[in-house]
């Protein structure tokens, strides 16, 4: 933490310079290209970019509006049910991930690559930057499909103001190349990396993270190009560096700082946690747990259910603008109904009041509770200093489980698919402890595996693995949405299904991408049209991106 705080102080020294690079459209007013400022240490930019991953508020609004309700993790508030729950397009929300990715993160990453190239003292920093660039671009291409990649974010370095769009397939193949080369080029003689708040510049950990991210990329094409995916897995299993070890989750540390909701300069707190928290400060709660997510954990007796979801008394007089002041009703409700039948999670595409739940007289709050029966996201995840997730070992173990199920011939057999699976689920459960959830009792996790044994049929194995990834990624919305489209597990019904009864608007099925920002129509129309020709001819948010397992439904 001391090293982290020191990096924050370093950032303050150069933030004035970085701030001049923030706006996408104001560089014409500048007399000098900021990439010529040789005195800015790219190590400071590294800290800045790492913090931006979950410290910038704007893209997280896209996640709350679309990604989370699409995969039926969260529902109930106006932003979530009105947009992602009822499939209503809104450019002002869907464009934010695009704008932030290009105008903030990638602009800095491309600048860093340019300023560290062929400089021995920055050799390792250059490789780490390549890895982070892949991570950031994955979110963009997974969300929108074909995007500017090879020419993307090069307005400063190459004066490219209208970047061409590249196919997602080509982008993914380049991800593999970049991660392979970055991992092999990281070495102990490549210069120290002082701005890294993820692994403190540890080369071995970054090599393992690069391999782990490459595993995610390879598995993303398990349906689109299974032979390529298999070949990548074979190479990764032979890698000397290996994958993430225990305790090497790639997490971004944040501070207990409250910022203005839409501040473009504050990035030291977890913005997703703040967005959820500020939503609970209002009279219209916005982070209700969606019924399919809650019910899946309930039906499988998952011990995470009441670590992720809690019920709180919903009354302004007690909360007084502070969600941590809300009386917790969960244990009282469980005592009244040990089978969890009284809990009433929000249905997909519905607001908090539809339909109005029944209630009970609470001795905890001293009032009649009805909306209090709606499970909400636990207060443990509303802390400003919650970590941000780049990737976890739990995900790695689950992806290895799926890879072995698909291609057992490339694995040595020393670790079975079921062992990878149990390792991944156990890691996923214990990961929540980093958010401060209640510790598990000695038998909770083992009882879960006893009640939910690993299936013997291949497709069922793939299903349960990806249901576990769905649970794991509840606080990593873009990855949850991407992995759901990759496998279509869990099997989700659209909001207008008779079971849910919601009215849907711009789609009758769960959309499979977001539309391009209107700004692209105005400023980069020709290149965008070329992309649309490859994607069916129109900007259709039901078009299936390249890695989507189309045809399996």
């Amino acid at each position: 933490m001391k090293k982290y705080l020191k990096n924050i102080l370093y950032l303050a020294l150069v933030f004035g310079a970085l701030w001049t690079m923030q706006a996408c459209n104001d560089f014409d007013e500048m007399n000098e290209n900021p990439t010529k400022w040789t005195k800015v240490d790219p190590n400071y930019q590294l800290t800045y970019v790492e913090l931006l991953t979950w410290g910038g508020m704007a893209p997280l609004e896209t996640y709350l509006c679309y990604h989370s309700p699409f995969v039926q993790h969260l529902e109930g508030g106006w932003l979530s049910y009105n947009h992602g729950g009822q499939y209503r397009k809104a450019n002002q929300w869907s464009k934010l991930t695009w704008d932030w990715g290009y105008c903030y993160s990638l602009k800095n990453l491309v600048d860093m690559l340019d300023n560290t190239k062929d400089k021995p003292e920055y050799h390792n920093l250059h490789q780490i930057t390549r890895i982070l660039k892949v991570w950031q671009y994955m979110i963009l291409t997974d969300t929108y499909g074909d995007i500017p990649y090879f020419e993307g974010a090069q307005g400063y370095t190459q004066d490219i103001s209208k970047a061409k769009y590249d196919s997602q397939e080509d982008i993914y193949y380049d991800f593999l190349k970049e991660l392979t080369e970055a991992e092999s080029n990281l070495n102990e003689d490549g210069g120290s990396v002082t701005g890294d708040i993820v692994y403190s510049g540890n080369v071995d950990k970054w090599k393992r993270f690069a391999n782990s991210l490459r595993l995610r990329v390879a598995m993303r094409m398990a349906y689109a190009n299974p032979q390529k995916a298999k070949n990548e897995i074979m190479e990764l299993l032979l890698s000397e560096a290996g994958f993430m070890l225990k305790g090497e989750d790639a997490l971004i540390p944040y501070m207990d700082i409250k910022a203005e909701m839409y501040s473009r300069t504050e990035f030291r707190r977890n913005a997703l946690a703040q967005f959820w928290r500020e939503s609970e400060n209002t009279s219209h709660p916005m982070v209700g747990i969606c019924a399919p997510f809650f019910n899946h954990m309930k039906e499988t007796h998952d011990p995470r259910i009441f670590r992720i979801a809690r019920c709180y008394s919903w009354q302004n007089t007690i909360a007084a603008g502070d969600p941590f002041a809300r009386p917790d009703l969960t244990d009282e409700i469980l005592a009244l109904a040990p089978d969890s039948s009284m809990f009433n999670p929000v249905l997909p595409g519905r607001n908090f009041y539809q339909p109005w739940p029944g209630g009970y007289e609470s001795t905890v709050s001293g009032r009649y509770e009805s909306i209090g029966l709606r499970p909400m996201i636990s207060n443990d995840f509303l802390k400003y200093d919650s970590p941000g997730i780049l990737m976890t070992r739990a995900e790695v173990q689950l992806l290895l489980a799926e890879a072995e199920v698909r291609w057992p011939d490339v694995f040595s057999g020393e670790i079975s698919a079921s062992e990878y699976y149990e390792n991944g689920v156990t890691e996923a459960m214990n990961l929540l402890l980093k958010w401060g959830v209640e510790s598990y009792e000695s038998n909770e996790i083992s009882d879960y595996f006893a009640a939910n044994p690993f299936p013997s049929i291949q497709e069922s194995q793939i299903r349960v693995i990806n249901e576990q990834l769905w649970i794991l990624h509840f606080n990593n919305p873009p990855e949850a949405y991407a992995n759901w489209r990759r496998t279509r597990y869990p099997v989700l019904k659209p909001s207008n299904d008779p079971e849910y009864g919601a009215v849907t608007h711009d789609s009758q099925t769960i959309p499979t991408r977001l539309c391009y920002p209107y700004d692209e129509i105005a400023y980069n129309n020709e290149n965008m049209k070329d992309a649309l020709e490859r994607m069916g001819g129109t900007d259709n948010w039901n078009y299936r991106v390249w890695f989507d397992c189309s045809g399996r439904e």
Side-chain angles (χ1 to χ4, degrees):
M1 181 57 69
K2 288 182 179 179
K3 183 178 181 65
Y4 168 59
L5 292 173
K6 184 173 71 172
N7 284 326
I8 294 297
L9 293 175
Y10 288 162
L11 269 174
L13 297 176
V14 296
F15 192 72
L18 290 172
W19 175 244
T20 63
M21 301 169 64
Q22 293 310 297
C24 290
N25 298 319
D26 62 358
F27 53 84
D28 288 335
E29 301 174 8
M30 301 178 64
N31 295 321
E32 185 173 315
N33 188 330
T35 61
K36 303 299 183 183
W37 296 354
T38 58
K39 292 185 179 180
V40 177
D41 188 337
N43 276 290
Y44 303 154
Q45 282 179 280
L46 175 62
T47 309
Y48 176 58
V49 167
E50 288 178 340
L51 287 169
L52 282 178
T53 54
W54 291 97
M57 183 67 72
L60 309 183
E61 293 186 77
T62 307
Y63 303 165
L64 182 60
C65 283
Y66 292 109
H67 296 73
S68 289
F70 279 171
V71 297
Q72 297 174 5
H73 276 157
L74 303 178
E75 194 65 282
W78 183 80
L79 283 178
S80 55
Y81 86 82
N82 187 63
H83 296 90
Q86 297 186 351
Y87 314 148
R88 184 181 277 107
K89 296 179 182 178
N91 178 68
Q92 70 267 35
W93 305 118
S94 63
K95 75 186 186 77
L96 294 174
T97 295
W98 179 288
D99 289 351
W100 190 269
Y102 280 112
C103 300
Y104 290 76
S105 298
L106 287 168
K107 184 159 59 178
N108 277 275
L109 287 166
V110 170
D111 181 65
M112 291 164 65
L113 288 174
D114 189 59
N115 288 332
T116 58
K117 185 178 180 181
D118 299 325
K119 294 182 180 179
E121 68 273 27
Y122 292 135
H123 175 81
N124 282 336
L125 177 56
H126 186 81
Q127 310 310 322
I128 291 172
T129 304
R130 294 172 78 180
I131 297 167
L132 288 172
K133 183 178 170 222
V134 168
W135 184 91
Q136 182 63 61
Y137 261 122
M138 278 192 78
I139 293 177
L140 287 173
T141 186
D142 291 350
T143 299
Y144 300 99
D146 294 3
I147 59 170
Y149 174 71
F150 293 103
E151 294 182 356
Q154 295 188 39
Y156 286 110
T157 56
Q158 302 295 328
D159 293 325
I160 299 175
S161 59
K162 295 183 178 182
K164 72 178 183 67
Y165 285 56
D166 301 291
S167 73
Q168 187 174 73
E169 182 176 8
D170 289 344
I171 293 169
Y172 260 84
Y173 293 154
D174 194 70
F175 286 166
L176 295 171
K177 178 190 78 68
E178 285 293 290
L179 292 171
T180 302
E181 292 179 1
E183 186 276 326
S184 64
N185 279 295
L186 283 164
N187 63 79
E188 295 296 336
D189 299 322
S192 62
V193 180
T194 60
D196 175 26
I197 60 173
V198 179
Y199 291 134
S200 300
N202 186 299
V203 169
D204 291 334
K205 291 181 180 179
W206 273 104
K207 289 171 78 72
R208 288 190 284 271
F209 175 69
N211 282 345
S212 300
L213 188 59
R214 185 178 162 200
L215 172 65
R216 177 193 283 179
V217 173
M219 291 305 295
R220 196 78 100 230
M221 57 183 72
Y223 289 96
N225 190 339
Q227 188 59 52
K228 178 68 173 174
K230 180 179 179 179
N231 292 342
E232 291 293 322
I233 301 299
M234 290 175 64
E235 290 184 14
L236 283 166
L237 291 172
L238 296 174
S239 169
E240 183 178 350
F243 302 105
M244 285 181 185
L245 303 177
K246 280 190 175 182
E248 289 185 357
D249 296 319
L251 304 177
I252 306 295
Y254 288 100
M255 302 172 71
D256 188 14
I257 294 174
K258 180 180 180 179
E260 292 296 324
M261 278 287 281
Y262 299 98
S263 171
R264 295 192 176 192
T265 60
E266 183 55 78
F267 43 82
R268 295 171 295 170
R269 53 77 182 96
N270 186 312
L272 182 62
Q274 180 172 356
F275 202 97
W276 287 345
R277 180 168 173 173
E278 295 296 312
S279 297
E280 291 305 329
N281 284 352
T282 70
S283 60
H284 301 286
M286 299 171 69
V287 287
I289 302 295
C290 197
F293 186 45
F294 183 86
N295 290 337
H296 176 84
M297 292 188 287
K298 172 184 170 181
E299 291 161 6
T300 57
H301 304 285
D302 194 310
R304 288 168 288 189
I305 185 171
F306 295 117
R307 290 173 170 88
I308 293 174
R310 305 293 294 181
C311 283
Y312 299 101
S313 178
W314 182 66
Q315 49 183 304
N316 298 339
T317 55
I318 293 179
D322 178 9
F324 293 94
R326 299 172 297 178
D328 190 325
L329 309 174
T330 313
D331 293 338
E332 179 182 59
I333 299 169
L334 280 170
L336 293 171
D339 62 354
S340 301
S341 59
M342 283 181 62
F343 294 100
N344 200 324
V346 185
L347 296 174
R350 310 298 288 271
N351 66 31
F352 245 82
Y353 312 102
Q354 293 180 307
W356 191 274
Y360 75 105
E361 290 288 345
S362 170
T363 58
V364 172
S365 67
R367 58 169 283 171
Y368 186 81
E369 296 289 350
S370 53
I371 294 295
L373 293 171
R374 300 286 200 212
M376 304 179 191
I377 195 165
S378 167
N379 278 348
D380 289 318
F381 300 93
L382 306 185
K383 301 169 186 173
Y384 299 137
D385 58 356
S386 297
I389 299 172
L390 298 183
M391 195 172 185
T392 65
R393 188 171 185 268
E395 179 184 352
V396 172
Q397 295 293 298
L398 290 169
L399 291 176
L400 286 171
E402 183 183 345
E404 184 159 1
V405 167
R406 292 179 181 278
W407 308 294
D409 56 307
V410 305
F411 284 78
S412 66
E414 293 181 8
I415 303 177
S416 66
S418 62
E419 288 176 303
Y420 278 128
Y421 172 78
E422 290 198 10
N423 290 343
V425 175
T426 302
E427 292 258 352
M429 291 182 176
N430 287 325
L431 179 69
L432 299 184
L433 298 176
K434 296 185 179 182
W435 277 259
V437 305
E438 180 183 358
S439 298
Y440 297 93
E441 295 181 8
S442 58
N443 61 336
E444 277 192 276
I445 296 177
S446 60
D447 285 352
Y448 175 79
F449 288 123
N452 301 275
F454 192 62
S456 58
I457 300 173
Q458 184 188 53
E459 192 60 32
S460 296
Q461 293 171 340
I462 293 173
R463 174 181 57 79
V464 298
I465 290 168
N466 284 281
E467 287 172 347
Q468 289 296 327
L469 286 166
W470 180 55
I471 299 171
L472 171 67
H473 294 315
F474 88 96
N475 56 349
N476 188 357
E479 187 57 32
Y481 182 41
N483 195 71
W484 173 75
R485 286 173 291 158
R486 178 180 74 86
T487 64
R488 295 306 173 102
Y489 287 129
V491 177
L492 301 177
K493 301 176 183 177
S495 301
N496 58 11
D497 186 87
E499 181 179 349
Y500 308 139
V503 175
T504 54
H505 297 271
D506 297 323
S507 178
Q508 301 306 308
T509 58
I510 301 173
T512 50
R513 60 178 286 271
L514 294 186
C515 297
Y516 295 127
Y518 290 168
D519 288 349
E520 287 295 288
I521 299 173
Y523 299 114
N524 198 14
N525 190 41
E526 184 175 344
N527 286 313
M528 189 192 74
K529 283 184 175 179
D530 287 342
L532 292 178
E533 286 300 315
R534 295 191 296 269
M535 297 169 61
T538 62
D539 197 2
N540 178 7
W541 70 343
N542 288 314
Y543 174 82
R544 294 187 173 188
V545 296
W546 174 69
F547 63 76
D548 196 320
C549 66
S550 57
R552 204 210 65 185
E553 291 185 312

